[in-house]
Amino acid sequence: MTSQLLPSAPESANPATPSRRTVVLAAAATAALVPIAALGAEAARAATGDAPSFLHGVASGDPLPDGVLLWTRVTPDAGAVPGSGAGPAVTVGWEIAEDKAFSRVVASGAVTTSAAHDHTVKADVRGLRPQTPYWYRFTAGATVSPAGRTRTAPAAGTSPAGVRFGVVSCANWESGYFSAYRHLAARADLDAVLHLGDYIYEYKTGGYPEAKYVVRPHEPRHEILTLADYRTRHGTYKTDPDLQALHQAHPVIAIWDDHEIANDTWSGGAENHDPATEGGFAARAAAARQAYFEWMPVRASTEGTVYRRLSFGTLADLHLLDLRTFRSQQAGIGSGAVDDPERTLTGRAQLDWLKAGLAASQATWKLVGTSVMISPVAFGSLPAHLLEPLTELLGLPAGGLAVNVDQWDGYTDDRRELLGHLTDRSVRNTVFLTGDIHMAWANDVPVTAATYPWSRSAGVEFVVTSVTSDNIDDLLHVAADTVSLVAETAIKAANRHVKWLDMDAHGYGVLDVTAERSQMDYYVVSDKRRQDATTAWARSYRTLTGTQKVERADQPVR
């Protein structure tokens, strides 16, 4: 890669930062993009002829005080579709500017890509100013990509008035449309969007949901196993206009969960992997991870995983976890292995890294991106007709032991060590941000759930629902807020640290962080099966500094 850093314009020339408390349409960042419904050579030729093209949008991610990671994928000719291994090498230029007209370009460079990288492009740009909006674009020959908007993080040692993140997880292409992404793209008040995993799904068409409930089929139609398969599936997702708009409007900070590889992935296998018919799991996992890093605006950690740390001045540190690469196999039904200290969710090195980072952090808030729920939850008080669909949705043991062994509940020694560390070291203001289970929750995180609220809370947890992936009303095929209300009441009664949950909605969260509090505003979309779905605010919960507990807020942050 070659690059050139140009002198910055004077401070007075920098465009005014959008209001931190006003939601406006980000017109430049969410301009309509032409969706490419199919990924074959014929569709590419119809869209672009023989000229290079940018069919999969642009993206940025992992903002630093002095830099950001830029991403795109170039289609050099009609045959070079994702996963094909075809197409010539091509040099792609990039530039980043202080204005959307690109009259004040501050950095530029070029990257040569080829079929070896599925024609994806990454540029890790440094030398930028902190807490500053920038615009970026790519060129290939005479073709210019759409322009994206990004933003750098606050400088180390500074105290920003606030930071605000969109928060999403679990976007299944076949389950519906990505309206939640469109509504987040239309907000100009976000510093970044945090994606907590299940960005893609690996199933065959009709594998999840059932074929008769598929809204739109993905590609390839079979379950993905090979590097070409994973590249093709990522390419399918990146043609969605709402997903393109999200990436075009905001930097995205992403971690993976299981479906980026296979359902209920652990270090040596997955529930949705049969070595007898699908080959060795290590090869599949390696292919999935390679495609992920090719197609996502994510910096790999030194171990080639997604656990890493980003800082937002002295206001917040964001600790991002990888809870699939190092975990032991999920416990068997009734085995008692959930409490085995030899089993791990995080792996020793990652848990030590997290503990050290939390204890050393000088930030007011310690945000932890965890792909699976850390709060303990007992489901045993539920009636059978509700426990059965939850067993399917959450992977609960079918034999009646109502513990979700895929979450931290299945690895209690890691959780005990982490929560004990938080309390022993007096680490305050820890907020766990979670996806995975297709429901919205607001929880205290008790050290000892059985005696709560008379025992301590080590932090709080905000869980966001899915963008589209099925939840309980989808599985039961009933209207929202009907039978699920019984389950919600029973779960809250059996788990006194659970302050709120919504088992029906689809949507996203907006986390607003100030020195005084961290507040999650929960938004729901009207119908995931409609491309024109509207959005509405549902609930808000916050935690005040020093309390380690959640409380309801009367309205969303403006």
Side-chain angles (χ1 to χ4, degrees), residues 109-331:
V111 178
T112 299
T113 187
S114 68
H117 301 287
D118 208 22
H119 289 102
T120 58
V121 175
K122 284 186 175 181
D124 199 345
V125 183
R126 302 297 173 92
L128 304 177
R129 290 189 294 156
Q131 205 169 1
T132 301
Y134 288 96
W135 284 258
Y136 63 94
R137 63 188 178 187
F138 299 86
T139 58
T143 305
V144 181
S145 76
R149 183 181 182 275
T150 191
R151 185 179 180 87
T152 51
T158 61
S159 301
V163 292
R164 189 177 291 184
F165 304 99
V167 188
V168 290
S169 75
C170 303
N172 188 339
W173 175 282
E174 295 207 327
S175 290
Y177 294 100
F178 296 160
S179 301
Y181 291 159
R182 172 167 48 87
H183 291 290
L184 280 172
R187 298 184 65 128
D189 62 334
L190 302 179
D191 292 280
V193 171
L194 178 59
H195 201 297
L196 295 167
D198 295 344
Y199 183 97
I200 66 166
Y201 278 72
E202 84 284 9
Y203 295 107
K204 67 179 182 181
T205 290
Y208 174 69
E210 296 175 57
K212 62 182 177 181
Y213 299 112
V214 168
V215 176
R216 50 179 182 166
H218 53 213
E219 295 292 341
R221 301 299 177 94
H222 57 265
E223 182 183 334
I224 54 177
L225 296 170
T226 67
L227 178 58
D229 290 342
Y230 282 98
R231 286 169 163 175
T232 302
R233 186 66 56 86
H234 274 282
T236 300
Y237 274 65
K238 284 292 201 301
T239 63
D240 182 88
D242 295 332
L243 178 55
Q244 289 192 2
L246 179 76
H247 280 296
Q248 201 173 329
H250 308 296
V252 170
I253 302 167
I255 57 176
W256 58 46
D257 192 27
D258 52 341
H259 291 291
E260 285 87 351
I261 303 173
N263 184 53
D264 286 357
T265 294
W266 57 283
S267 60
E271 180 276 333
N272 195 26
H273 182 80
D274 182 359
T277 59
E278 296 176 332
F281 179 74
R284 179 181 187 176
R289 291 180 177 119
Q290 179 178 334
Y292 183 89
F293 284 122
E294 289 172 343
W295 279 87
M296 296 293 291
V298 168
R299 291 187 191 92
S301 73
T302 55
E303 294 187 73
T305 80
V306 293
Y307 82 80
R308 61 202 190 280
R309 187 176 292 116
L310 298 172
S311 294
F312 296 83
T314 60
L315 184 59
D317 284 341
L318 176 58
H319 311 260
L320 299 157
L321 302 186
D322 176 353
L323 299 183
R324 294 295 167 181
T325 300
F326 310 105
R327 73 156 69 196
S328 306
Q329 186 172 9
Q330 293 83 351

Side-chain angles (χ1 to χ4, degrees), residues 499-545:
K499 304 306 178 183
W500 176 70
L501 75 156
D502 181 348
M503 304 178 77
D504 287 317
H506 300 280
Y508 57 93
V510 174
L511 179 74
D512 189 83
V513 181
T514 68
E516 294 75 28
R517 55 98 186 101
S518 289
Q519 177 167 320
M520 181 70 84
D521 299 329
Y522 295 88
Y523 291 86
V524 300
V525 296
S526 57
D527 186 347
K528 68 174 184 174
R529 300 176 67 87
R530 293 182 58 92
Q531 288 182 286
D532 61 350
T534 58
T535 188
W537 170 70
R539 284 282 187 105
S540 292
Y541 281 83
R542 67 187 181 189
T543 177
L544 302 180
T545 185

Side-chain angles (χ1 to χ4, degrees), residues 450-462:
T451 57
Y452 198 75
W454 299 279
S455 57
R456 299 180 65 180
S457 175
V460 304
E461 181 172 33
F462 297 126

Side-chain angles (χ1 to χ4, degrees), residues 367-383:
L367 311 178
V368 182
T370 170
S371 59
V372 296
M373 195 164 166
I374 192 169
S375 301
V377 180
F379 296 94
S381 59
L382 292 178

